[in-house]
Amino acid sequence: MGQIKRIGVLTSGGDAPGMNAAVRAVTRTAIYHGYEVIGIKRGYYGLVFNEMERFTTKSVSNIIQQGGTILKTARCKEFTTAEGREKAYENMKSAGIDALVVIGGDGSLSGARTFAEEFDVPIVGLPGTIDNDLGGTDRTIGYDTALNTIVEAVDKIRDTATSHERLFLVEVMGHMAGYLALNGAIASGAEAAIIPEKETEIDQLADLVSRGFRKSKNSAIVLVAENPETGGAMGLAKRIKEEFPEYDARVTILGHLQRGGSPTAADRILASKMGAQAIIALMEGQRNVMIGTKNGELVYIPFSKATTHKQKLDIQGMELVKMLSI
Ligand code: ATP
């Protein structure tokens, strides 16, 4: 591990359930192997504005079951500037931090990549985002919990949708990726999923209506991925009102409740394994990689690949929703 003695850990971007489990695993694995750990507060903001504290094994006690992140998270404009990153580097050096573990989404890992290249800092990333939208990994930390939260919410919406014989458009997060919408639709038995990956291929709403998706049923639930380009569920509801007024469409935007809650066992295990592997990676001399999981194995993914992921349309998943909703 060369001269690395002290490792900084931070959570950045949108919070995700399981981030705490990851912070715990990073901290304890590092201390177990003889390194010192510094907890950096509010993501890159803590680096730029010097908000850091020494972590002991106790600092991460009793957090594995907690949602959110004890380190806090933030979006830090200053870090996107060369001056901000210079300040971050100086603070990091003054604190004696030799390497970083960054837990966050694609923005956070893009920042890590730039910082690592500019200042030759060893950084290992962990995919911490409910969106599951990073390249080279089958899963991100927080995705499973968010998916379960969505399923629980949709089960409740179905009760009222069935009673009133209504069409419900349920908007879920995803950051222009349809994983939560599509797999949420499969798991909750929804009638359809409208996802950004399919947006350019077909008018999904017109397709749904032309299939007469509600005719044989007394209610319908459609999971809609957030999409600033189409206006998401609100945009679709507007279109339905104008183009298909025979449908009584209602919108539920699940919003930030998808980020909260105690992480599932799957997320805790993933975060614990990935967090521990981040320290092993630094010990092995790995630099500027994200820990991912592929077919159940932990893998190292260069930041360049992790952050330039293009969503592939899951045709089988889409077909499954269609087939099972007849
Ligand atoms: P989520 O996927 O949950 O939204 P994220 O990590 O993608 O999380 P962002 O807001 O995109 O969230 O990024 C978090 C922070 O990372 C930004 O506020 C900024 O400080 C830093 N960052 C993002 N992109 C860059 C970049 N290209 N260069 C430097 N820093 C960046």
Side-chain angles (χ1 to χ4, degrees):
M1 192 156 162
Q3 315 91 317
I4 294 175
K5 291 198 183 78
R6 194 172 279 184
I7 299 167
V9 57
L10 63 85
T11 51
S12 168
D15 60 310
M19 278 184 163
N20 278 328
V23 171
R24 171 179 178 268
V26 167
T27 303
R28 295 220 166 137
T29 308
I31 292 172
Y32 178 86
H33 288 287
Y35 302 105
E36 293 176 6
V37 178
I38 304 291
I40 300 162
K41 297 287 175 74
R42 299 180 177 79
Y44 293 121
Y45 185 93
L47 268 188
V48 177
F49 296 98
N50 227 345
E51 289 189 19
M52 314 180 193
E53 72 175 72
R54 177 80 182 270
F55 262 24
T56 64
T57 55
K58 267 197 147 177
S59 310
V60 293
S61 289
N62 202 23
I63 64 168
I64 195 168
Q65 77 283 16
Q66 290 175 23
T69 160
I70 59 157
L71 282 174
K72 313 286 183 203
T73 183
R75 309 208 191 254
C76 175
K77 256 198 189 140
E78 291 79 0
F79 195 76
T80 61
T81 68
E83 303 80 61
R85 291 192 296 275
E86 176 83 44
K87 242 172 111 183
Y89 180 70
E90 279 161 20
N91 288 333
M92 189 184 146
K93 284 288 118 187
S94 310
I97 298 171
D98 310 301
L100 288 177
V101 177
V102 171
I103 307 166
D106 65 340
S108 303
L109 299 185
S110 298
R113 181 185 175 192
T114 305
F115 192 57
E117 282 168 4
E118 281 174 348
F119 298 98
D120 196 23
V121 176
I123 306 183
V124 171
L126 296 184
T129 170
I130 64 167
D131 303 332
N132 206 37
D133 63 344
L134 285 159
T137 186
D138 291 338
R139 285 283 166 270
T140 60
I141 296 164
Y143 170 70
D144 185 67
T145 306
L147 193 54
N148 278 282
T149 301
I150 289 167
V151 170
E152 207 183 315
V154 174
D155 287 349
K156 289 179 178 158
I157 291 167
R158 186 178 287 287
D159 290 343
T160 177
T162 312
S163 304
H164 282 282
E165 307 192 57
R166 276 179 178 146
L167 160 63
F168 265 85
L169 301 170
V170 182
E171 183 176 298
V172 301
M173 286 183 168
H175 199 235
M176 295 300 285
Y179 292 104
L180 286 171
L182 179 54
N183 288 317
I186 293 172
S188 63
E191 276 60 39
I194 293 192
I195 62 173
E197 291 87 335
K198 210 159 188 266
E199 211 59 67
T200 50
E201 287 186 16
I202 186 172
D203 183 339
Q204 296 176 82
L205 180 63
D207 183 47
L208 267 178
V209 173
S210 74
R211 280 179 16 223
F213 68 105
R214 199 181 156 220
K215 297 238 164 68
S216 62
K217 301 195 168 199
N218 64 358
S219 72
I221 293 181
V222 177
L223 264 68
V224 183
E226 64 181 352
N227 187 343
E229 280 163 30
T230 59
M234 293 301 272
L236 281 181
K238 195 163 166 268
R239 275 194 59 197
I240 290 172
K241 213 171 165 196
E242 288 161 8
E243 297 171 36
F244 311 101
E246 66 274 25
Y247 291 99
D248 181 15
R250 302 295 160 111
V251 172
T252 300
I253 296 175
L254 295 185
H256 284 83
L257 76 82
Q258 296 164 87
R259 287 194 190 277
S262 183
T264 58
D267 269 332
R268 297 181 198 196
I269 293 167
L270 184 70
S272 299
K273 286 184 174 173
M274 286 181 161
Q277 194 65 35
I279 300 303
I280 310 294
L282 287 169
M283 290 167 68
E284 288 174 1
Q286 290 286 342
R287 298 285 181 270
N288 314 331
V289 292
M290 180 189 82
I291 310 295
T293 176
K294 245 335 176 215
N295 305 320
E297 300 280 327
L298 293 176
V299 290
Y300 299 140
I301 300 147
F303 283 151
S304 51
K305 186 174 173 200
T307 55
T308 52
H309 185 41
K310 287 265 175 303
Q311 308 308 326
K312 271 195 279 162
L313 176 61
D314 180 356
I315 294 166
Q316 279 182 339
M318 291 300 279
E319 282 301 313
L320 189 61
V321 173
K322 208 168 170 177
M323 190 169 70
L324 299 185
S325 68
I326 54 171

